Amino acid sequence: MDTPLPFSKLSFGLIDNEDSPGATPKEKVYVVLVANGSFNPPTYMHLRMFELARDALNAEGYCVIGGYMSPVNDAYKKRGLLSAEHRLQMCHLASKSSEFVMVDPWEVRTICRDYGVVCIRREGQDVEKIISDDEILNEYRDNIKVVDELIPNQISSTRVRDCISRGLSIKYLTADEVIDYIREQHLYLNSDDK
């Protein structure tokens, strides 16, 4: 099934701008960020990844013109994975306040080989070991840029789901619209949804 990509937040104006009248455009590499994951539910850390990646790439002279959250499809079969329909809706709600992050309803699989990856280091994770232990990541390690998070953030979807199942507040862990959607749909209330 072909699904068109949303373009509403792509900054096409950055591509057409010239430094001054009559000047030729500089050689720039334009980048669109794509984050794959369960987004079960999406958190502020997921959105923060986009900001970190954009800052890191812009600092190296790239021009980030947009970003996509791309939830894994239902075939992923991870325990407690909500349907793609719910996860897509929550991603739309979570990215609503972003000036450049949109939602893509299909998972991109050839990113590592054909484009490249910006990996945000998470406290307690040995990113270099993860890359070297994975056949595909190790093969394309030259296409992977590792970025350190200067303000560590341990928000994770797993921890958010745990709070919900225990009846604890998740305020300020994800967007209010996502929290409202989770409540309205009665998501993550039983242990099977973890």
Side-chain angles (χ1 to χ4, degrees):
M1 172 172 94
D2 288 332
T3 305
L5 285 173
F7 295 115
S8 60
K9 294 183 183 180
L10 287 182
S11 298
F12 289 114
L14 293 175
I15 295 173
D16 298 329
N17 287 344
E18 296 180 5
D19 293 334
S20 62
T24 57
K26 292 181 181 177
E27 288 291 321
K28 285 196 175 187
V29 176
Y30 297 95
V31 176
V32 174
L33 302 173
V34 179
N36 301 95
S38 298
F39 301 110
N40 190 34
T43 69
Y44 283 133
M45 188 59 210
H46 292 125
L47 295 170
R48 183 78 182 131
M49 290 186 317
F50 284 97
E51 298 292 332
L52 292 167
R54 180 171 67 167
D55 286 348
L57 291 173
N58 284 344
E60 291 191 10
Y62 294 95
C63 184
V64 177
I65 63 168
Y68 292 102
M69 297 176 86
S70 184
V72 297
N73 63 47
D74 289 333
Y76 188 56
K77 300 292 185 200
K78 181 178 178 182
R79 184 177 180 263
L81 185 68
L82 289 183
S83 71
E85 177 186 353
H86 285 307
R87 291 180 294 110
L88 284 166
Q89 182 61 31
M90 288 188 289
C91 286
H92 281 292
L93 294 168
S95 64
K96 196 162 99 174
S97 66
S98 174
E99 64 186 28
F100 76 105
V101 177
M102 299 160 282
V103 180
D104 176 20
W106 58 275
E107 183 182 5
V108 179
R109 298 186 185 275
T110 60
I111 296 170
C112 231
R113 181 190 72 225
D114 296 344
Y115 302 100
V117 173
V118 177
C119 179
I120 311 302
R121 191 182 308 275
R122 198 177 205 176
E123 240 181 86
Q125 297 292 319
D126 185 347
V127 174
E128 286 75 14
K129 181 172 178 12
I130 292 169
I131 292 170
S132 65
D133 288 352
D134 185 279
E135 181 182 339
I136 294 170
L137 296 178
N138 193 39
E139 181 177 351
Y140 299 108
R141 71 181 316 119
D142 291 341
N143 289 353
I144 300 173
K145 174 162 183 53
V146 178
V147 176
D148 291 318
E149 166 63 285
L150 298 177
I151 303 170
N153 182 332
Q154 291 300 313
I155 296 174
S156 74
S157 295
T158 301
R159 290 177 178 171
V160 170
R161 291 192 307 272
D162 187 48
C163 286
I164 295 168
S165 70
R166 294 173 181 218
L168 303 174
S169 171
I170 59 168
K171 181 80 171 168
Y172 306 117
L173 298 178
T174 188
D176 288 342
E177 295 89 347
V178 173
I179 295 171
D180 292 342
Y181 183 84
I182 290 170
R183 283 188 186 135
E184 289 165 9
Q185 299 295 319
H186 308 287
L187 305 176
Y188 307 115
L189 294 177
N190 64 42
S191 59
D192 291 340
D193 288 344
K194 284 188 183 177

